[in-house]
Amino acid sequence: MRSFRSIRMNIQLFILISTLVAITALTSIPAYVIARNHSDFVIKEMQMRARGIASSTALLIGSHASAYLELSDAVTIDGVGTYDHTFYVKMNTVLRQITEATGADFIFTAKMLDAQTQAYILDGTDPILDTFSPIGEKDVLHAITKQIIMTSQPVETELVEAPGWGSFVVGLVPILDDGSSQPIGVVGAAFSSDTIDELNRHMNGSVGASFIFLILLITVGIYILYLLMFRISMEDHLTKLHTRRYHFRRLREEVRSAKRTNTKLSLLLIDVDWLKQVNDTSGHGAGDRLLQSIANVLRANTRAIDSCARHGGDEFAVILPGLDGRKALATAKKIEEMSKKIEAMPGTGASLSIGLVTWERGMDEQQLMECADQALYAAKSEGKGRIKVYEPKTKETSSVTS
């Protein structure tokens, strides 16, 4: 019905798209103005693009503020200490992809070491090029960079000369710590004078529309990048089911939908019995394979609109929109029966304890989870390998199978 609709942008993604859409709107200037003022316009356009790219990159890094702060803290005036090399390479790769997608000449991050010195942390330049700045490489601290770190206010420059580098239009944006909202570094995105001159040489009446199209492509590219990262964070790496975080978000949406449309909604909480014994007897690899097999059973016996998630180490959750208790129980029985065909240990089929609850008006998502958890607890307390149905009216659970 709307399984993909539940995958929504988080607030950082919303800010990212809003920023790039705003840039697109600002570049929709009539063609005759572009033709008359193309030189100034190109510089202003590069300023906006540089600031927009820097803002988007700062949002991306800010979503990994703790890991980035550890990386930054490894760089001191005396040199570079121990740091997470995997995270460093990953973020450099992301910056390089954004650099290639946007046409920027440089995208980098830096920190202030002292009143005269800054050090580079990340660089989107290809490492094989001479212009690549490795982590900890020092440079003169520019007054604008210092101003941004001190005031936490983004800045875009005119065409300025950078000794040893050339002339650039640069957008500089602070990287803010999510917890304290304090700046932990600065992101720079730069377009060289060569890039600007090339644009000037090819300026014509259609260039305004071209800019808009280009920025829309940038928007789509970075949106896809964010969406992929978001979806990865919502998928359990072992079972390829949804994560606990996704489950709660989806459940909240389904409860709201049930309240709004007065439709049915059921929830299963499933515990894989004896998983610890499987791990202790046959090894954790066997336990992982058992969890993957159970996940496959869940996928095979639920609908496209249902949501299957790994809720904990040995626990799964299944949201069943539109199903009443009877139909949800039939689904639970199918899952239980199919799971028995999986060999958990030599000569022993897998065993599941299942708690089932059907939403009733007045329940919120937290209460629904608590009721399902009570039913699951009852199933495990009575010997495992059974389905327990929570009865809201009597505040009890009833046993269905054993």
Side-chain angles (χ1 to χ4, degrees), residues 189-383:
F191 290 93
S192 70
S193 58
D194 290 340
T195 301
I196 295 172
D197 291 340
E198 182 68 18
L199 288 172
N200 280 329
R201 282 192 295 269
H202 294 87
M203 184 65 64
N204 55 56
S206 64
V207 91
S210 299
F211 273 127
I212 293 173
F213 180 68
L214 176 61
I215 293 175
L216 286 175
L217 287 180
I218 296 170
T219 302
V220 172
I222 298 180
Y223 172 78
I224 291 172
L225 178 63
Y226 260 84
L227 183 59
L228 288 174
M229 294 179 65
F230 177 75
R231 294 186 68 176
I232 288 171
S233 73
M234 293 298 179
E235 182 181 274
D236 177 62
H237 72 282
L238 177 65
T239 63
K240 305 307 178 185
L241 297 180
H242 295 305
T243 61
R244 180 187 181 96
R245 176 184 176 188
Y246 175 92
H247 167 72
F248 281 112
R249 179 174 297 186
R250 174 68 181 274
L251 185 61
R252 185 182 306 115
E253 291 183 359
E254 294 297 347
V255 169
R256 289 175 180 171
S257 176
K259 289 179 180 178
R260 186 174 61 254
T261 61
N262 197 30
T263 54
K264 300 295 183 181
L265 172 64
S266 294
L267 172 67
L268 306 179
L269 277 187
I270 303 170
D271 191 273
V272 182
D273 300 327
W274 319 118
L275 181 62
K276 184 178 186 302
Q277 287 83 339
V278 173
N279 287 332
D280 293 343
T281 303
S282 304
H284 286 276
D288 289 347
R289 288 189 292 273
L290 174 59
L291 291 173
Q292 290 170 335
S293 298
I294 297 297
N296 290 336
V297 168
L298 295 180
R299 273 189 288 264
N301 291 278
T302 53
R303 305 163 299 168
I305 65 171
D306 299 331
S307 171
C308 302
R310 188 180 180 190
H311 190 253
D314 58 356
E315 198 168 286
F316 297 90
V318 180
I319 303 172
L320 302 169
L323 294 193
D324 58 19
R326 180 179 60 82
K327 293 179 180 178
L329 179 58
T331 298
K333 287 181 177 180
K334 282 197 302 181
I335 291 170
E336 183 188 39
E337 289 302 316
M338 294 303 296
S339 296
K340 290 178 180 178
K341 299 178 181 181
I342 301 170
E343 186 176 73
M345 291 185 287
T348 305
S351 172
L352 301 181
S353 296
I354 302 177
L356 187 159
V357 62
T358 299
W359 176 82
E360 289 198 356
R361 187 162 293 280
M363 283 185 175
D364 60 20
E365 65 273 9
Q366 187 62 39
Q367 291 169 322
L368 198 62
M369 282 295 299
E370 289 173 357
C371 293
D373 194 56
Q374 289 178 31
L376 176 60
Y377 180 79
K380 293 177 70 67
S381 298
E382 294 183 13

Side-chain angles (χ1 to χ4, degrees), residues 9-24:
M9 294 181 294
N10 59 19
I11 187 63
Q12 292 176 334
L13 183 56
F14 177 80
I15 293 172
L16 170 65
I17 299 302
S18 298
T19 300
L20 292 177
V21 168
I23 294 172
T24 302

